[in-house]
């Protein structure tokens, strides 16, 4: 059934706050640069534990490894996070105030006030624009420096015998990350209500600070509004009958559904994007880390705290998630070390400190984060992770050349994220010995190389037409073959994504890549359908989104030649595909 061109909207279900004139602040003061203590808090990261000779920096660790290993760093991480969550919410460096920079409560932090024309309906975080990738870097670094300062103080309190071990552990402690593309389930460390660690005074059982954050001033926080305001603590998937959060089974089911998308999408960004802009955020015909990022926000929490941009940063999963986004961006930058930062000019979508339409370059301020000279950070000033005193296990940029590091990272990315791709290793794969029907035999100088095809779906929709957050799925015969998650901010303008079509499209055992467009395109034109679902699963008919656009793109594709190279993509050919409602939504 082809979609009609009805101009109907889902009017009554639109919950997105439209940037109305009324929501735009009246004249506001310039930054006053005052905080609790009177001066801005600089974001410098953590400077301890760095080897003065080699320059080696401590790695942010995989949360599952940190948890499984246990020991002093795990103890300190949990105790520090717990102590941070207990800091009075009116303190600028409380868990609450730090989380509150992202979305709600839409108020000034670090003395960085709202400016003329900037929306009062948003926090400082940019999404759907290039600053998405750079803004979250100082944000995680600020959280990390605060967390580690607690850990360092706690380490001093241990008995003399073990104090040196704990002090050393604190010096190399950094914010951990959750690699959801490799481990698509909630980190076990974050699912128990209680946690037992070795504290300065012996073994102690605490409320697990990774399980949820409990608001201290429920009466005040409830006044922030929105559907999540009524909850006294952050929640993911609620168990039936419980006021609060705990159904890890449901969260993990949600994540299991999208696991294939997460890995395919991440690998696709690493291998296919060649510009920082394309990698950094979702734009028309671009493949970026923002889409899998959005999918994790939506899938990990049913319609709970993580699914709302305004509230997500309060869930302790948020920093684990964004630390991972920062890691993916850092790995991409090290692979593409000749073009590690964008040089384009873009339009801001508008945040608490920035009016919409502001011209954005890599020298634009990342509000509200000041550097050590009390000048606002910029994308250029945060381009290198060494700035903030951390690295990731995959990145050694002190004892290798940039080219060696890029080669090593390509190999690690292939090892971590390529399983979903039927990308054969020409040198070693036995599957390559199988007959492969290359659809082109006229490649000049092609000789021993096999060029095949890679298929992507390009989707675009006007956000105003959908009740956000929502997911747009590509469906063939009941199977989801690609997924676009759209969060609630920004709620206007076009949301776009370029999705690799996954091998769910296997016919028999033939990979799509082995199939010629003459076969694939008619198949997709006849059998590719779409469904849109609100965050609670409610179907939204595609007929209510007249702006929805779908194209299939075929790219010339040269498989990788060995484990430390990526596949090579060539020219693209595109076909428009009629929007057809998936059966799943009907009736
Ligand atoms: C929450 O879920 C975890 C993991 O399934 C479980 O260990 C814990 O006991 C649960 N807590 C409650 C209160 O149900
Ligand atoms: C967590 O610890 C508290 C306080 O020690 C205890 O009352 C509660 O029963 C524990 N909860 C679970 C699920 O173990
Ligand atoms: C948790 O979620 C699972 C899967 O959605 C469901 O089967 C189960 O009944 C839920 N448990 C509770 C206690 O609500
Ligand atoms: C930025 O937005 C303004 C106002 O919406 C528009 O006039 C301008 O053309 C846009 N610039 C770019 C580069 O898209
Ligand atoms: C999106 O749709 C809204 C409502 O239909 C319309 O006002 C707006 O102009 C559209 N935006 C764009 C960028 O076309
Ligand atoms: C696909 O491959 C599997 C194992 O590799 C084999 O068991 C199955 O028969 C194959 N199916 C077809 C349709 O060739
Ligand atoms: C659409 O799918 C059906 C069922 O798999 C298949 O029989 C048909 O050939 C497909 N259409 C095209 C044009 O390939
Ligand atoms: C992999 O292929 C690249 C490009 O052809 C080549 O430079 C490199 O030496 C190869 N690496 C290995 C380990 O064979
Ligand atoms: C890509 O397309 C351009 C323009 O049609 C053509 O000149 C070029 O040879 C093509 N490249 C490949 C690798 O096919």
């Amino acid at each position: 059934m082809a979609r009609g061109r009805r101009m109907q909207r889902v009017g009554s279900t639109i919950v997105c706050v439209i940037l109305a004139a009324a929501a735009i602040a009246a004249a506001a003061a310039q930054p006053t640069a005052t905080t609790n203590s009177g001066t801005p808090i600089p974001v410098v990261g953590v400077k301890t534990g760095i080897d003065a000779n080699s320059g080696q920096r401590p790695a942010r660790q995989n949360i599952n490894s940190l948890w499984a290993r246990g020991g002093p760093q795990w103890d300190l991480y949990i105790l520090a996070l717990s102590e941070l969550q207990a800091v009075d919410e009116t303190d600028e460096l409380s868990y609450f105030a730090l989380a509150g920079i992202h979305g709600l409560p839409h108020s000034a932090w670090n003395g960085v006030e709202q400016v003329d024309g900037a929306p009062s309906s948003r926090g400082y975080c940019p999404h759907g624009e290039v600053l998405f990738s750079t803004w979250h870097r100082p944000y995680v670094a600020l959280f990390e420096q605060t967390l580690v300062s607690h850990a360092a103080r706690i380490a001093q309190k241990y008995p003399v015998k073990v104090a040196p071990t704990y002090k050393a552990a604190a010096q190399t402690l950094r914010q951990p990350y959750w690699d959801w593309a490799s481990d698509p389930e909630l980190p076990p460390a974050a699912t128990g209500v209680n946690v037992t660690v070795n504290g300065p005074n012996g073994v102690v059982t605490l409320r697990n600070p990774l399980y949820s954050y409990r608001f201290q001033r429920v009466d005040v926080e409830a006044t922030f509004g929105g559907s999540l305001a009524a909850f006294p603590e952050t929640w993911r998937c609620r168990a039936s009958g419980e006021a609060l959060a705990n159904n890890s089974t449901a969260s993990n089911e949600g994540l299991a559904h999208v696991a294939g998308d997460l890995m395919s999408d991440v690998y696709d960004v690493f291998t296919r994007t060649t510009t920082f802009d394309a990698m950094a955020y979702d734009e028309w015909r671009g493949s970026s880390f923002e889409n899998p990022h959005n999918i994790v926000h939506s899938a990990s929490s049913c319609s709970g705290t993580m699914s709302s941009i305004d509230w997500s940063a309060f869930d302790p999963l948020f920093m684990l998630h964004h630390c991972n986004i920062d890691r993916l961006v850092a790995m991409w930058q090290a692979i593409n070390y000749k073009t590690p930062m964008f040089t384009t000019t873009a339009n801001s979508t508008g945040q608490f400190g920035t009016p919409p339409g502001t011209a954005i370059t890599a020298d634009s301020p990342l509000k509200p984060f000041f550097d050590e000279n009390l000048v606002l950070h910029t994308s250029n000033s945060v381009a290198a992770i060494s700035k903030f005193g951390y690295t990731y296990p995959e990145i050694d940029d002190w004892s290798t050349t940039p080219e060696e590091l890029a080669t090593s990272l390509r190999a690690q990315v292939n090892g971590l994220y390529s399983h979903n791709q039927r990308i054969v290793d020409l040198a070693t794969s036995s599957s390559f010995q199988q007959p492969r029907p290359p659809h082109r035999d006229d490649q000049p100088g092609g000789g021993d190389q096999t060029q095949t095809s890679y298929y992507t779906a390009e989707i675009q929709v006007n956000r105003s037409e959908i009740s956000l957050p929502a997911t747009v799925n590509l469906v063939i015969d009941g199977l989801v073959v690609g997924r676009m998650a759209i969060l609630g901010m920004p709620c206007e303008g076009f949301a776009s994504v370029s999705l690799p079509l996954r091998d769910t499209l296997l016919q028999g055992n033939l990979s799509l890549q082995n199939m010629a467009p003459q076969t694939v395109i008619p198949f997709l034109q006849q059998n590719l359908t779409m469904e849109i679902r609100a965050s609670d699963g409610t179907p939204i008919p595609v007929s209510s989104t007249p702006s929805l656009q779908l194209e299939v793109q075929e790219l010339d594709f040269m498989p990788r030649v060995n484990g430390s190279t990526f596949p090579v993509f060539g020219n693209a050919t595109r076909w428009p595909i009629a929007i057809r409602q998936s059966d799943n939504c009907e009736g």
Side-chain angles (χ1 to χ4, degrees):
M1 180 194 72
R3 176 175 59 91
R5 304 290 302 177
R6 281 186 293 147
M7 292 301 289
Q8 169 205 328
R9 293 180 50 193
V10 281
S12 63
T13 57
I14 288 184
V15 293
C16 195
V17 182
I18 306 291
L19 253 191
I24 297 179
Q30 290 303 302
T32 55
T34 54
T35 66
N36 285 3
S37 56
T39 48
I41 297 154
V43 181
V44 297
V46 183
K47 299 300 183 200
T48 57
I50 300 169
D51 187 310
N53 296 320
S54 67
Q56 178 170 355
R57 307 180 301 281
R60 291 178 171 176
Q61 300 173 63
N62 183 313
I63 181 64
N64 291 347
S65 315
L66 180 63
W67 170 74
R69 198 166 48 245
Q73 279 197 326
W74 168 251
D75 295 337
L76 289 172
Y77 171 56
I78 289 297
L79 292 167
L81 187 57
S82 181
E83 192 177 275
L84 176 58
Q85 289 185 352
V87 173
D88 191 282
E89 287 184 351
T90 59
D91 190 310
E92 290 273 76
L93 289 176
S94 61
Y95 183 93
F96 176 85
L98 295 175
I101 292 169
H102 191 256
L104 283 166
H106 306 163
S107 57
W109 186 86
N110 215 12
V112 180
E113 303 288 342
Q114 200 178 16
V115 294
D116 259 358
S120 56
S121 57
R122 295 179 187 171
Y124 292 101
C125 69
H127 290 86
E129 63 173 84
V130 68
L131 296 188
F132 165 75
S133 60
T134 50
W135 185 89
H136 289 83
R137 176 164 289 170
Y139 189 35
V140 177
L142 169 66
F143 188 85
E144 178 177 65
Q145 74 190 37
T146 311
L147 179 82
V148 173
S149 72
H150 284 271
R153 278 196 300 276
I154 294 166
Q156 309 284 338
K157 299 180 186 162
Y158 279 80
V160 206
K161 236 177 155 171
V162 293
T165 312
Y166 276 85
K167 285 180 199 165
Q171 293 198 342
T172 54
L173 180 65
R174 298 293 187 271
Q175 168 66 36
Y177 62 88
W178 169 29
D179 182 9
W180 31 257
S182 289
D183 300 310
E185 51 181 42
L186 292 184
T191 62
V193 180
N194 289 340
V195 60
T196 300
V197 293
N198 285 307
N201 304 315
V203 174
V204 57
T205 294
L206 321 160
R207 252 196 103 259
N208 184 358
L210 289 171
Y211 172 73
S212 71
Y213 173 68
R214 272 190 178 156
F215 295 100
Q216 295 170 11
R217 302 175 302 163
V218 176
D219 290 352
V220 176
E221 273 95 51
T223 63
F224 298 163
S227 57
L228 290 160
F231 295 95
E233 70 184 277
T234 59
W235 60 278
R236 294 162 198 162
C237 294
R238 273 179 295 159
S240 56
E242 271 185 45
L244 298 177
N246 194 32
N247 193 343
S248 308
T249 310
S251 289
N252 286 337
E253 277 176 8
L255 288 162
H257 274 120
V258 302
D261 302 274
L262 296 178
M263 191 179 274
S264 296
D265 288 1
V266 164
Y267 193 65
D268 182 72
V269 180
F270 273 119
T271 55
R272 189 155 63 94
T273 60
T274 52
T275 67
F276 187 98
D277 303 69
M279 170 278 294
Y281 77 110
D282 288 335
E283 55 180 353
W284 182 225
R285 294 179 182 147
S287 166
S288 88
F289 290 126
E290 192 172 15
N291 187 52
H293 152 272
N294 290 355
I295 293 175
V296 170
H297 271 285
S298 302
S300 59
S301 81
C302 303
S303 44
T305 310
M306 272 288 274
S307 70
S308 152
I309 287 186
D310 261 346
W311 292 94
S312 58
F314 293 102
D315 187 317
L317 282 181
F318 180 95
M319 281 295 160
L320 298 172
H321 178 33
H322 269 281
C323 186
N324 191 50
I325 293 293
D326 183 68
R327 166 176 162 270
L328 297 174
V329 171
M331 289 165 73
W332 187 96
Q333 288 180 297
I335 291 170
N336 298 275
Y337 61 88
K338 289 176 182 157
T339 53
M341 189 44 61
F342 64 100
T343 53
T344 47
T345 301
N347 255 353
S348 173
T349 60
Q351 295 89 32
F352 182 79
T354 311
T358 303
I360 296 296
T361 70
D363 289 319
S364 296
L366 299 176
K367 292 182 176 181
F369 307 122
F370 286 97
D371 69 10
E372 65 276 19
N373 301 316
L374 303 185
V375 173
L376 283 161
H377 273 296
T378 65
S379 296
N380 277 327
S381 82
V382 305
I385 58 173
S386 55
K387 175 109 183 177
F388 295 117
Y390 66 88
T391 188
Y392 292 103
E394 293 85 359
I395 300 178
D396 167 357
D397 56 14
W398 52 90
S399 75
T400 56
T401 65
E403 191 48 45
E404 285 166 351
L405 176 57
T407 301
S408 150
L409 280 169
R410 280 189 295 266
Q412 296 184 79
V413 167
N414 284 332
L416 285 167
Y417 305 122
S418 71
H419 321 314
N420 278 352
Q421 310 281 325
R422 304 241 155 167
I423 291 173
V424 289
D425 183 326
L426 290 180
T428 60
S429 169
S430 60
S431 69
F432 186 60
Q433 312 307 318
Q434 309 290 324
R436 261 167 86 89
H439 63 266
R440 282 187 190 74
D441 47 17
D442 56 351
Q443 286 311 304
D448 50 352
Q449 290 187 308
T450 304
Q451 182 174 313
T452 58
S453 292
Y454 185 92
Y455 296 93
T456 66
E458 316 302 302
I459 310 175
Q460 188 172 70
V461 67
N462 181 339
R463 293 185 179 92
S464 310
E465 293 171 357
I466 311 180
S467 163
L468 298 176
T471 307
V472 180
N473 293 333
L474 294 172
V475 182
I476 294 179
D477 197 19
L479 282 174
V480 175
V481 296
R483 218 178 278 272
M484 170 192 202
I486 314 174
L487 297 179
M489 200 227 80
C491 54
E492 316 148 300
F494 283 105
S496 307
V497 76
S498 176
L499 297 175
L501 285 178
R502 291 195 286 123
D503 262 340
T504 334
L505 284 174
L506 285 179
Q507 287 196 314
N509 281 359
L510 255 196
S511 164
L512 255 189
Q513 279 165 222
N514 293 332
M515 288 162 45
Q518 325 48 312
T519 310
V520 174
I521 300 305
F523 173 84
L524 294 174
Q525 281 169 340
Q526 186 167 358
N527 289 311
L528 187 60
T529 63
M530 299 182 96
E531 63 173 10
I532 307 177
R533 290 189 182 270
S535 63
D536 63 359
T538 312
I540 299 169
V542 294
S543 56
S544 68
T545 56
S547 66
L548 189 59
Q549 253 196 81
L550 175 62
E551 281 179 357
V552 169
Q553 175 173 257
E554 181 254 353
L555 291 152
D556 294 343
F557 176 82
M558 209 67 89
R560 68 189 189 217
V561 296
N562 62 42
S564 48
T565 59
F566 281 160
V568 176
F569 296 87
N571 286 344
T573 314
R574 301 189 186 98
W575 290 266
I577 306 278
I579 308 289
R580 300 145 62 88
Q581 174 70 54
S582 140
D583 290 343
N584 297 356
C585 268
E586 286 172 348

